[in-house]
Amino acid sequence: MFASVITAYMAPAAAGSGIPEVKAYLNGVDAPGIFSLRTLVVKVVGCIAAVSSSLHVGKAGPMVHTGACIASILGQGGSRKYHLTCKWLRYFKNDRDRRDLVTCGAGAGVAAAFRAPVGGVLFALESVSSWWRSALLWRAFFTAAVVAVVLRALIDICKSGKCGLFGKGGLIMFDVTSDTVAYHLVDLPPVILLGIIGGILGSFYNFLLEKVLRIYNLINEKGTGYKLLLAATISIFTSCCLFGLPWLASCRSCPADLSEDCPSIGRSGNFKKFQCPPDQYNDLASLFFNTNDDTIRNLYSAGTDAVFQKSSILLFFVTSYFLGIMSYGLVAPSGLFVPVILTGATYGRLVGILMGKHSTLDHGLFAVLGSASLLGGSMRMTVSVCVILLELTNNLLLLPLVMLVLLISKTVADTFNANIYDLIVKLKGLPYLEAHAEPYMRQLTVSDVVTGPLQTFHGVEKVGNIVHVLKTTGHHGFPVIDEPPFSDSPVLFGLILRAHLLVLLKKKEFLHTCALSSFDASKPFSADDFAKRGSGKHDSIDDIELTVEEMEMYIDLHPFTNTSPYTVVETMSLAKALILFREVGLRHLLVVPKSSSRAPVVGILTRHDFMPEHILGLHPFLLKSRWKRLRFGKSTIIKFFSSLC
């Protein structure tokens, strides 16, 4: 509840994992408040509170968001609001460098959460980044290497006994699998089956989570009180499961030749007594009353086939599967990675138990493959998940089987729905641009989606007209048109941004007549005046006060206009325009006429104009001819999914 309260009242943007927001930002969507200092503090404190409360959430997603927040704050030169600034950081106050920093920060978050530096770099490349180049690769690698060194140093300090329980563990989290992993051709069918079922379970996980998040959105829209009530309800339900379900499991005798005490009483341990007689333990309580990391370590452990009974594993799998879905949409920092890994490990253990003597593979190995299959089915990541799991388990012998399971589960799940982060991005209404153009876009030209009216400025514009346009529209870019006497005929001079116009109005370097400046109009300004603003409060036209005399004066826009904006002809294919818009990372794309007898600009394309909802709203007939990927849209499995909701 503490995590929910501080999130709801201090930084609502800190709710959830933060990976969808980071992914959208790196695609060009700068949502307000997602990287502020307040969001960072609430994310860290709230994540600690939510995870330590035994809520079924993970820390990996919040760690990604935390790394991105730190990177963004550095990229904007610190925080002026809290007087934490540094002059040399101003060199990063541009879109490209800040985007690169956020990418490195996201990779560092994964590297810190899983102690997997190479996996963090690959995660940033595969999952969150929309633009990648060779220079960014080594920067992300350097960032992850620094994370690994700092973690190693802190762990060595804690191993000296100064950190209590925090000194447990090493750089490899789950270094518990056997030294020699032997598998034969006869073991492949069970592994393939595990991947297929894992893909179905992963897609079903996404399906249910989307439905639950829609319900949570309806509840959260009613106010903060309802958000907190929902969090309290799920917390109480989780506690009832944790304390009630272990009563259904029977007590088991402690295994012989253990390196730790059994049962563990009054301390952290893997064998929980839970109302059992002396020298006995409750295996289901051992799964519930441990940290997620310790539970995963126990499930991954080799040579523990007899520790857990089938009924306990089945009950824990069902509980973990649905608690992970129900806990995610709360107004608190929460991740999906660790719950999915834990649920997948339980699923893999269950498959190993059911296979029995029909497979020679250890149940701990089945648990690792189960995590891989559920991650592949839900998040659809292959290379990064494979490397992360190998770094977690420190066993390269698992590589062929993990690769096989990931490819199978991802392929199966792709036939049903999109990956979990894409679904959440869509639910949040963030205008994310896909890397490919939909086939129906090839039937349209850019003029088919341009909507008006178009707002333009003259090269020398009246102050009152600028103020009126800025107050009555929400546009962020305006074409600048030169007309006689400044040119022989109407011609496009360039594009000017709203933020730059606000800077000009605040400085009040106005002209008394409608004429070109007789001096260098850019001299009163510095580069910092036009630098990219941070995540704090931005300038607003309503905050600028102008007198009646100033409203009648003029501004020469020529020195402040981008004279080389990207333009396309109105007959250009919409699919080609989308690829240009996304690959170059544009915010505005000017549409010019094919005939010189018309106005020099016929419209502006922004991110909104490429959204499927906008295009299909303008041209409903495309719905019938809209190409869809191979999906079992009317199969019995999808009907089964729908019937459950």
Side-chain angles (χ1 to χ4, degrees):
M1 287 308 300
F2 174 71
S4 298
V5 168
I6 62 173
T7 305
Y9 286 104
M10 294 181 61
S17 71
I19 292 179
E21 288 83 354
V22 174
K23 186 173 182 177
Y25 175 81
L26 295 178
N27 189 257
V29 182
D30 197 356
I34 59 173
F35 295 141
S36 66
L37 185 61
R38 178 179 295 184
T39 301
L40 171 62
V41 173
V42 172
K43 197 78 176 185
V44 173
V45 177
C47 178
I48 293 172
V51 173
S52 61
S53 69
S54 292
L55 200 65
H56 205 70
V57 296
K59 63 182 184 235
M63 287 290 286
V64 172
H65 195 183
T66 299
C69 286
I70 295 172
S72 179
I73 292 171
L74 290 175
Q76 69 189 37
S79 175
R80 290 185 180 179
K81 182 178 179 181
Y82 300 100
H83 307 290
L84 300 171
T85 58
C86 187
K87 286 186 177 180
W88 67 270
L89 290 175
R90 69 178 184 271
Y91 297 108
F92 299 102
K93 296 181 71 172
N94 59 80
D95 281 321
R96 192 189 71 172
D97 286 336
R98 190 177 299 179
R99 186 176 68 228
D100 287 356
L101 281 172
V102 170
T103 304
C104 294
V110 172
F114 294 114
R115 304 173 193 174
V118 180
V121 175
L122 293 175
F123 172 83
L125 167 62
E126 184 178 10
S127 299
V128 296
S129 179
S130 293
W131 297 283
W132 195 269
R133 61 187 200 280
S134 57
L136 182 56
L137 179 63
W138 74 262
R139 290 174 182 172
F141 187 72
F142 173 79
T143 309
V146 172
V147 170
V149 171
V150 173
L151 273 176
R152 180 79 266 176
L154 293 176
I155 289 172
D156 287 342
I157 293 174
C158 284
K159 278 188 174 181
S160 62
K162 299 178 181 179
C163 304
L165 289 176
F166 290 102
K168 304 292 183 182
L171 195 58
I172 304 299
M173 291 181 70
F174 310 131
D175 188 7
V176 289
T177 52
S178 58
D179 296 331
T180 57
V181 178
Y183 46 87
H184 307 88
L185 192 61
V186 70
D187 296 316
L188 288 183
V191 171
I192 293 173
L193 181 63
L194 182 140
I196 293 174
I197 298 176
I200 296 174
L201 288 174
S203 62
F204 188 45
Y205 192 93
N206 295 359
F207 176 82
L208 289 180
L209 184 59
E210 183 184 17
K211 300 297 183 184
V212 169
L213 289 178
R214 290 185 184 276
I215 296 173
Y216 284 3
N217 285 342
L218 296 176
I219 298 174
N220 292 337
E221 287 173 357
K222 295 182 179 181
T224 305
Y226 285 89
K227 294 180 181 179
L228 299 180
L229 180 61
L230 176 62
T233 303
I234 298 301
S235 179
I236 293 172
F237 178 75
T238 303
S239 296
C240 292
C241 291
L242 293 180
F243 287 95
L245 292 177
W247 289 96
L248 301 178
S250 58
C251 295
R252 295 170 65 86
S253 299
C254 291
D257 302 328
L258 282 177
S259 60
E260 61 178 303
D261 293 337
C262 177
S264 55
I265 303 174
R267 61 174 184 80
S268 176
N270 296 326
F271 296 92
K272 301 299 181 183
K273 187 171 182 292
F274 197 80
Q275 310 300 329
C276 288
D279 297 327
Q280 291 188 355
Y281 72 98
N282 187 310
D283 59 341
L284 188 54
S286 300
L287 294 172
F288 276 122
F289 288 98
N290 257 323
T291 63
N292 287 338
D293 289 351
D294 283 340
T295 304
I296 294 171
R297 183 181 288 108
N298 293 341
L299 292 170
Y300 281 4
S301 296
T304 57
D305 292 1
V307 171
F308 304 103
Q309 52 188 345
K310 181 169 61 177
S311 58
S312 297
I313 289 291
L314 177 60
L315 190 56
F316 183 75
F317 166 68
V318 174
T319 307
S320 175
Y321 190 90
F322 289 102
L323 280 182
I325 294 172
M326 295 169 61
S327 303
Y328 179 73
L330 304 180
V331 58
S334 55
L336 283 169
F337 241 108
V338 174
V340 171
I341 291 177
L342 177 58
T343 306
T346 314
Y347 154 67
R349 269 271 176 174
L350 181 61
V351 172
I353 293 174
L354 294 176
M355 287 298 169
K357 297 181 179 179
H358 298 289
S359 176
T360 60
L361 298 180
D362 187 86
H363 292 181
L365 176 55
F366 268 112
V368 176
L369 298 179
S371 294
S373 68
L374 203 59
L375 283 170
S378 177
M379 300 181 181
R380 314 294 159 80
M381 295 181 291
T382 52
V383 180
S384 56
V385 167
C386 183
V387 173
I388 287 172
L389 286 176
L390 292 179
E391 289 185 286
L392 286 179
T393 57
N394 196 28
N395 200 326
L396 277 175
L397 296 175
L398 301 177
L399 180 61
L401 293 181
V402 173
M403 290 174 64
L404 179 64
V405 166
L406 280 170
L407 290 173
I408 292 174
S409 62
K410 180 188 183 322
T411 304
V412 171
D414 278 338
T415 61
F416 296 111
N417 50 30
N419 73 72
I420 188 62
Y421 295 127
D422 284 349
L423 292 176
I424 297 174
V425 165
K426 189 174 181 181
L427 278 176
K428 288 180 177 289
L430 300 172
Y432 186 87
L433 287 180
E434 297 291 346
H436 62 277
E438 295 287 351
Y440 60 80
M441 292 184 180
R442 300 190 185 99
Q443 305 177 33
L444 302 173
T445 62
V446 293
S447 61
D448 294 326
V449 298
V450 169
T451 56
L454 179 65
Q455 299 288 347
T456 63
F457 290 129
H458 297 109
V460 180
E461 186 60 78
K462 193 175 183 180
V463 174
N465 292 341
I466 296 176
V467 173
H468 173 73
V469 171
L470 293 182
K471 284 187 175 181
T472 55
T473 67
H475 304 320
H476 287 264
F478 303 90
V480 176
I481 309 296
D482 266 345
E483 293 184 345
F486 304 111
S487 64
D488 297 334
S489 60
V491 61
L492 172 65
F493 184 78
L495 182 78
I496 191 166
L497 301 179
R498 170 184 285 264
H500 296 175
L501 289 171
L502 292 175
V503 172
L504 298 178
L505 292 175
K506 286 179 66 177
K507 284 284 188 176
K508 299 185 178 181
E509 297 289 337
F510 302 147
L511 304 173
H512 292 280
T513 60
C514 183
L516 294 174
S517 301
S518 57
F519 60 94
D520 187 0
S522 61
K523 275 190 176 181
F525 302 90
S526 66
D528 287 342
D529 293 329
F530 298 99
K532 173 80 173 178
R533 291 293 186 268
S535 57
K537 184 180 179 182
H538 293 180
D539 296 330
S540 171
I541 184 62
D542 297 324
D543 299 332
I544 301 175
E545 297 181 359
L546 298 170
T547 64
V548 177
E549 292 79 8
E550 289 171 337
M551 295 287 278
E552 295 298 321
M553 299 175 75
Y554 296 87
I555 301 179
D556 184 3
L557 301 179
H558 291 94
F560 313 100
T561 301
N562 175 15
T563 57
S564 57
Y566 281 87
T567 61
V568 293
V569 183
E570 60 182 339
T571 55
M572 184 179 189
S573 165
L574 184 62
K576 290 183 178 180
L578 170 62
I579 299 301
L580 172 66
F581 192 93
R582 188 185 188 278
E583 293 301 320
V584 182
L586 302 178
R587 295 192 182 277
H588 305 94
L589 184 60
L590 300 183
V591 181
V592 298
K594 194 171 184 180
S595 171
S596 58
S597 60
R598 298 169 57 192
V601 182
V602 297
I604 294 184
L605 290 176
T606 61
R607 181 175 293 265
H608 167 73
D609 296 305
F610 294 104
M611 291 295 105
E613 295 80 7
H614 172 70
I615 298 172
L616 297 175
L618 293 175
H619 306 282
F621 70 91
L622 292 172
L623 282 169
K624 297 180 180 179
S625 61
R626 186 180 180 187
W627 176 85
K628 296 182 179 179
R629 287 183 296 173
L630 176 63
R631 295 188 191 275
F632 302 123
K634 296 183 180 180
S635 68
T636 55
I637 298 178
I638 291 296
K639 289 181 180 179
F640 172 70
F641 284 3
S642 301
S643 65
L644 292 178
C645 296

PDB file of all heavy atoms in Angstrom, residues 337-353:
ATOM      1  N   PHE A 337       9.127  -9.540 -15.902  1.00  0.00           N
ATOM      2  CA  PHE A 337      10.185 -10.486 -16.227  1.00  0.00           C
ATOM      3  C   PHE A 337      10.276 -11.619 -15.207  1.00  0.00           C
ATOM      4  O   PHE A 337      10.181 -12.801 -15.556  1.00  0.00           O
ATOM      5  CB  PHE A 337      11.526  -9.746 -16.303  1.00  0.00           C
ATOM      6  CG  PHE A 337      12.180  -9.825 -17.645  1.00  0.00           C
ATOM      7  CD1 PHE A 337      12.236  -8.725 -18.473  1.00  0.00           C
ATOM      8  CD2 PHE A 337      12.742 -11.009 -18.077  1.00  0.00           C
ATOM      9  CE1 PHE A 337      12.838  -8.787 -19.709  1.00  0.00           C
ATOM     10  CE2 PHE A 337      13.349 -11.091 -19.315  1.00  0.00           C
ATOM     11  CZ  PHE A 337      13.407  -9.975 -20.134  1.00  0.00           C
ATOM     12  N   VAL A 338      10.480 -11.261 -13.941  1.00  0.00           N
ATOM     13  CA  VAL A 338      10.707 -12.278 -12.903  1.00  0.00           C
ATOM     14  C   VAL A 338       9.476 -13.162 -12.687  1.00  0.00           C
ATOM     15  O   VAL A 338       9.612 -14.392 -12.571  1.00  0.00           O
ATOM     16  CB  VAL A 338      11.170 -11.613 -11.600  1.00  0.00           C
ATOM     17  CG1 VAL A 338      11.273 -12.641 -10.473  1.00  0.00           C
ATOM     18  CG2 VAL A 338      12.517 -10.927 -11.806  1.00  0.00           C
ATOM     19  N   PRO A 339       8.239 -12.610 -12.630  1.00  0.00           N
ATOM     20  CA  PRO A 339       7.080 -13.503 -12.517  1.00  0.00           C
ATOM     21  C   PRO A 339       6.962 -14.495 -13.670  1.00  0.00           C
ATOM     22  O   PRO A 339       6.593 -15.655 -13.453  1.00  0.00           O
ATOM     23  CB  PRO A 339       5.893 -12.533 -12.490  1.00  0.00           C
ATOM     24  CG  PRO A 339       6.443 -11.270 -11.945  1.00  0.00           C
ATOM     25  CD  PRO A 339       7.837 -11.193 -12.470  1.00  0.00           C
ATOM     26  N   VAL A 340       7.288 -14.050 -14.882  1.00  0.00           N
ATOM     27  CA  VAL A 340       7.220 -14.961 -16.026  1.00  0.00           C
ATOM     28  C   VAL A 340       8.309 -16.024 -15.915  1.00  0.00           C
ATOM     29  O   VAL A 340       8.070 -17.212 -16.206  1.00  0.00           O
ATOM     30  CB  VAL A 340       7.330 -14.177 -17.347  1.00  0.00           C
ATOM     31  CG1 VAL A 340       7.486 -15.126 -18.534  1.00  0.00           C
ATOM     32  CG2 VAL A 340       6.097 -13.300 -17.553  1.00  0.00           C
ATOM     33  N   ILE A 341       9.514 -15.626 -15.507  1.00  0.00           N
ATOM     34  CA  ILE A 341      10.590 -16.611 -15.317  1.00  0.00           C
ATOM     35  C   ILE A 341      10.195 -17.632 -14.256  1.00  0.00           C
ATOM     36  O   ILE A 341      10.378 -18.846 -14.421  1.00  0.00           O
ATOM     37  CB  ILE A 341      11.901 -15.898 -14.920  1.00  0.00           C
ATOM     38  CG1 ILE A 341      12.446 -15.090 -16.105  1.00  0.00           C
ATOM     39  CG2 ILE A 341      12.945 -16.907 -14.462  1.00  0.00           C
ATOM     40  CD1 ILE A 341      13.701 -14.299 -15.776  1.00  0.00           C
ATOM     41  N   LEU A 342       9.629 -17.160 -13.140  1.00  0.00           N
ATOM     42  CA  LEU A 342       9.224 -18.053 -12.057  1.00  0.00           C
ATOM     43  C   LEU A 342       8.104 -18.992 -12.497  1.00  0.00           C
ATOM     44  O   LEU A 342       8.157 -20.209 -12.244  1.00  0.00           O
ATOM     45  CB  LEU A 342       8.776 -17.220 -10.856  1.00  0.00           C
ATOM     46  CG  LEU A 342       8.237 -17.981  -9.642  1.00  0.00           C
ATOM     47  CD1 LEU A 342       9.270 -18.970  -9.125  1.00  0.00           C
ATOM     48  CD2 LEU A 342       7.822 -17.012  -8.543  1.00  0.00           C
ATOM     49  N   THR A 343       7.098 -18.439 -13.165  1.00  0.00           N
ATOM     50  CA  THR A 343       5.992 -19.278 -13.640  1.00  0.00           C
ATOM     51  C   THR A 343       6.487 -20.296 -14.660  1.00  0.00           C
ATOM     52  O   THR A 343       6.088 -21.467 -14.641  1.00  0.00           O
ATOM     53  CB  THR A 343       4.893 -18.400 -14.258  1.00  0.00           C
ATOM     54  OG1 THR A 343       4.498 -17.405 -13.318  1.00  0.00           O
ATOM     55  CG2 THR A 343       3.690 -19.229 -14.653  1.00  0.00           C
ATOM     56  N   GLY A 344       7.383 -19.853 -15.554  1.00  0.00           N
ATOM     57  CA  GLY A 344       7.936 -20.767 -16.546  1.00  0.00           C
ATOM     58  C   GLY A 344       8.773 -21.865 -15.915  1.00  0.00           C
ATOM     59  O   GLY A 344       8.731 -23.027 -16.355  1.00  0.00           O
ATOM     60  N   ALA A 345       9.533 -21.526 -14.876  1.00  0.00           N
ATOM     61  CA  ALA A 345      10.333 -22.546 -14.190  1.00  0.00           C
ATOM     62  C   ALA A 345       9.439 -23.602 -13.547  1.00  0.00           C
ATOM     63  O   ALA A 345       9.737 -24.807 -13.590  1.00  0.00           O
ATOM     64  CB  ALA A 345      11.223 -21.885 -13.143  1.00  0.00           C
ATOM     65  N   THR A 346       8.320 -23.144 -12.962  1.00  0.00           N
ATOM     66  CA  THR A 346       7.375 -24.103 -12.366  1.00  0.00           C
ATOM     67  C   THR A 346       6.744 -24.980 -13.439  1.00  0.00           C
ATOM     68  O   THR A 346       6.584 -26.197 -13.246  1.00  0.00           O
ATOM     69  CB  THR A 346       6.278 -23.334 -11.608  1.00  0.00           C
ATOM     70  OG1 THR A 346       6.876 -22.313 -10.811  1.00  0.00           O
ATOM     71  CG2 THR A 346       5.497 -24.274 -10.713  1.00  0.00           C
ATOM     72  N   TYR A 347       6.406 -24.357 -14.561  1.00  0.00           N
ATOM     73  CA  TYR A 347       5.837 -25.117 -15.679  1.00  0.00           C
ATOM     74  C   TYR A 347       6.832 -26.160 -16.190  1.00  0.00           C
ATOM     75  O   TYR A 347       6.465 -27.319 -16.464  1.00  0.00           O
ATOM     76  CB  TYR A 347       5.419 -24.144 -16.786  1.00  0.00           C
ATOM     77  CG  TYR A 347       5.398 -24.723 -18.172  1.00  0.00           C
ATOM     78  CD1 TYR A 347       4.481 -25.706 -18.537  1.00  0.00           C
ATOM     79  CD2 TYR A 347       6.300 -24.279 -19.139  1.00  0.00           C
ATOM     80  CE1 TYR A 347       4.465 -26.233 -19.819  1.00  0.00           C
ATOM     81  CE2 TYR A 347       6.290 -24.792 -20.421  1.00  0.00           C
ATOM     82  CZ  TYR A 347       5.376 -25.768 -20.758  1.00  0.00           C
ATOM     83  OH  TYR A 347       5.371 -26.286 -22.027  1.00  0.00           O
ATOM     84  N   GLY A 348       8.095 -25.764 -16.308  1.00  0.00           N
ATOM     85  CA  GLY A 348       9.108 -26.711 -16.761  1.00  0.00           C
ATOM     86  C   GLY A 348       9.289 -27.867 -15.791  1.00  0.00           C
ATOM     87  O   GLY A 348       9.415 -29.029 -16.202  1.00  0.00           O
ATOM     88  N   ARG A 349       9.286 -27.553 -14.487  1.00  0.00           N
ATOM     89  CA  ARG A 349       9.375 -28.608 -13.470  1.00  0.00           C
ATOM     90  C   ARG A 349       8.210 -29.589 -13.585  1.00  0.00           C
ATOM     91  O   ARG A 349       8.376 -30.804 -13.468  1.00  0.00           O
ATOM     92  CB  ARG A 349       9.356 -27.979 -12.082  1.00  0.00           C
ATOM     93  CG  ARG A 349      10.711 -27.642 -11.532  1.00  0.00           C
ATOM     94  CD  ARG A 349      11.305 -28.821 -10.768  1.00  0.00           C
ATOM     95  NE  ARG A 349      12.652 -28.511 -10.324  1.00  0.00           N
ATOM     96  CZ  ARG A 349      13.370 -29.293  -9.543  1.00  0.00           C
ATOM     97  NH1 ARG A 349      12.869 -30.437  -9.111  1.00  0.00           N
ATOM     98  NH2 ARG A 349      14.585 -28.971  -9.192  1.00  0.00           N
ATOM     99  N   LEU A 350       7.012 -29.028 -13.832  1.00  0.00           N
ATOM    100  CA  LEU A 350       5.827 -29.881 -13.952  1.00  0.00           C
ATOM    101  C   LEU A 350       5.950 -30.816 -15.150  1.00  0.00           C
ATOM    102  O   LEU A 350       5.625 -32.005 -15.054  1.00  0.00           O
ATOM    103  CB  LEU A 350       4.580 -28.996 -14.083  1.00  0.00           C
ATOM    104  CG  LEU A 350       3.238 -29.722 -14.185  1.00  0.00           C
ATOM    105  CD1 LEU A 350       2.977 -30.557 -12.941  1.00  0.00           C
ATOM    106  CD2 LEU A 350       2.103 -28.715 -14.404  1.00  0.00           C
ATOM    107  N   VAL A 351       6.447 -30.287 -16.264  1.00  0.00           N
ATOM    108  CA  VAL A 351       6.651 -31.125 -17.449  1.00  0.00           C
ATOM    109  C   VAL A 351       7.676 -32.217 -17.148  1.00  0.00           C
ATOM    110  O   VAL A 351       7.501 -33.380 -17.525  1.00  0.00           O
ATOM    111  CB  VAL A 351       7.091 -30.276 -18.653  1.00  0.00           C
ATOM    112  CG1 VAL A 351       7.496 -31.166 -19.830  1.00  0.00           C
ATOM    113  CG2 VAL A 351       5.979 -29.330 -19.077  1.00  0.00           C
ATOM    114  N   GLY A 352       8.754 -31.856 -16.448  1.00  0.00           N
ATOM    115  CA  GLY A 352       9.767 -32.844 -16.094  1.00  0.00           C
ATOM    116  C   GLY A 352       9.209 -33.954 -15.216  1.00  0.00           C
ATOM    117  O   GLY A 352       9.525 -35.132 -15.404  1.00  0.00           O
ATOM    118  N   ILE A 353       8.344 -33.578 -14.258  1.00  0.00           N
ATOM    119  CA  ILE A 353       7.733 -34.588 -13.384  1.00  0.00           C
ATOM    120  C   ILE A 353       6.806 -35.502 -14.175  1.00  0.00           C
ATOM    121  O   ILE A 353       6.794 -36.731 -13.988  1.00  0.00           O
ATOM    122  CB  ILE A 353       6.963 -33.893 -12.240  1.00  0.00           C
ATOM    123  CG1 ILE A 353       7.944 -33.170 -11.316  1.00  0.00           C
ATOM    124  CG2 ILE A 353       6.136 -34.897 -11.447  1.00  0.00           C
ATOM    125  CD1 ILE A 353       7.281 -32.336 -10.244  1.00  0.00           C
TER     126      ILE A 353
END
